[in-house]
Amino acid sequence: MKQIILSIPICFVSLVVHAQSGKLQKADNYFDRIAYAEAANIYVELLGSELDCPEMKSKLGYCFYQMGKADSAEIIYAQVVSTPTVNSHDVYYYAEVLKENGKQAESDSWMEKFHAMEVSDSRGQQFDVNKDYWQKIQSQKAYFDLQKLAVNTEHTEFGGYPVNGSILFVSNRTKTSFIQRFDGWNGHPFLDIYSSEQADHSELKELSRVSRKVNKKYHEGPLCQTPDGKSVFFTRSNMASGKNKRDEKGIQNLKLYKAQIASDGSWINETELAINSKDYSVGHPTISSDGKTLYFVSDMPGGFGGADIYKMEIMSDGSFGEVQNLGPEINTEGQEMFPWIGTDGILFFASDGHIGLGGLDVYAVVPDNAGNFKKRINLGAPVNSSRDDFALILLLADGKTGYVSSNRQGSDDIYSIDLLRAIKINLEVEGIVSDNRSGQILSGALVQLLDENNTVVATKTTDDQGKFHFDLEEGKEYRIQVSKG
């Protein structure tokens, strides 16, 4: 009897473990398909079970991170990073969620550990040479004024795209269809495009959901209008004959489409761009003001990691040139998304791979004389916060007003923005004047800044420590001339 009695719980435990193993496999399958909400639900059920382990917790932490649940992610990652088998991936995302939760000093400490583990990763390298980044970003003057819009709900709203005289935005607010579909990524309804009119103070009114010919069963998202006003490029989930199409891992990627704008404002003659693939995503379009260059986002093979920003030339016949990655000044091992080109050629984009205030930050890149994007500007507060800030869009009419989106108060919301000061690269030169023979520091010395024509453009006198400083303009050559009476 004793042996029989003992065999019962052993068999029961075996059945439980077998059942839990099936659950874990199901959760891992969801995770591999980036259905993070579905995976997280099962991982949470398995916490404290025989299958609970650092690897499972690592996946759960990443699910919470991708779902925008930084508080929950911090709790899980704190457990993971205390284990002997912790990897650099976990350390990096622990640092990220700490910063999103307002724990900047702790985040920096873990970024130091991440850099020591991954010395070649550009994110750690940027941090290592910019230890005072927080103070620099926080101390800069604001580039924009920012106001939250009344159009926001408890659901997702982002965008503010000018199209055919209206402002379009993206939302998963309640739909009218009887059958509700939900995105496995975060468990929320799929995104649709809405149209609105601009009112006072950039408020949005007279809302309407764009026709079902545009809004299909799954995601529709970031878009842009061509400068001639005749067409739009827009993002949509991969579909064919009304059904979603997935890659080998079961992931439904995004595709980029083009449509013509009819005289009544409807979108007609939709065509899929040739750069699309079921094996990776393509989307988030924006076009240069001359209509000759299309910028977009993709996680296609050959990038720097995550989603990168690319460009390609638009030919006179409507065809496209070679796809070009914007390079390491823009793209990182993290995510670069939501590009937008202003009428003055400035590229705005969101990134979680560059040094910032937390989550996705919005950056501006002023093109040089050759049109290349090299030097980034973090736009700082109030545009950026410790959470995700993205989709900065300047209206084409004046280039000084527009919209930006953020989840700083929970769900994604739209904010209006007004430009307060010019966005430009701050170049400067500073130095100390000393006697060439004696090495003595020279105060009161006359220092002149000359341009390429040897014209004096600025004059300074050294201070009691022999120091001087000049602000410079990008793309110009200068010479410094010093004299002492």
Side-chain angles (χ1 to χ4, degrees), residues 251-453:
I251 298 173
Q252 185 183 10
N253 289 303
L254 300 176
K255 286 189 172 184
L256 197 54
Y257 294 80
K258 181 180 180 181
Q260 294 176 316
I261 301 176
S263 57
D264 62 357
S266 61
W267 298 3
I268 60 175
N269 301 328
E270 291 181 6
T271 57
E272 181 182 328
L273 269 62
I275 55 173
N276 291 331
S277 170
K278 70 178 181 64
D279 296 320
Y280 53 80
S281 285
V282 181
H284 298 206
T286 185
I287 302 178
S288 59
S289 58
D290 61 7
K292 295 182 179 180
T293 307
L294 175 68
Y295 297 83
F296 62 93
V297 172
S298 178
D299 59 353
M300 65 177 62
F304 289 86
D308 283 2
I309 301 176
Y310 293 81
K311 70 175 182 178
M312 57 185 181
E313 185 179 359
I314 303 175
M315 306 300 185
S316 57
D317 61 357
S319 61
F320 298 96
E322 181 183 355
V323 173
Q324 301 178 52
N325 188 296
L326 291 194
E329 292 295 331
I330 303 296
N331 296 313
T332 69
E333 292 86 346
Q335 306 283 352
E336 281 70 48
M337 300 181 287
F338 297 97
W340 186 262
I341 292 285
T343 54
D344 52 6
I346 295 178
L347 170 66
F348 299 92
F349 69 98
S351 171
D352 64 6
H354 294 293
I355 290 291
L357 299 182
L360 290 168
D361 270 18
V362 180
Y363 297 81
V365 191
V366 181
D368 61 20
N369 291 337
N372 299 313
F373 298 116
K374 293 184 178 180
K375 295 186 179 294
R376 298 177 309 277
I377 301 172
N378 185 301
L379 293 183
V383 166
N384 291 322
S385 68
S386 63
R387 295 299 176 101
D388 288 336
D389 309 289
F390 58 98
L392 188 147
I393 300 155
L394 290 182
L395 302 184
L396 304 180
D398 58 10
K400 294 182 179 180
T401 62
Y403 300 94
V404 71
S405 302
S406 176
N407 69 355
R408 66 188 66 185
Q409 294 185 1
S411 61
D412 296 336
D413 292 321
I414 305 173
Y415 296 75
S416 65
I417 54 175
D418 290 281
L419 187 67
L420 298 176
R421 65 186 180 103
I423 298 173
K424 61 182 181 179
I425 301 297
N426 295 321
L427 300 178
E428 56 188 13
V429 61
E430 59 184 20
I432 298 175
V433 177
S434 62
D435 185 277
N436 190 41
R437 294 180 180 178
S438 66
Q440 179 184 359
I441 298 298
L442 299 178
S443 62
L446 180 67
V447 185
Q448 294 178 312
L449 183 69
L450 289 74
D451 64 15
E452 60 268 28
N453 299 317

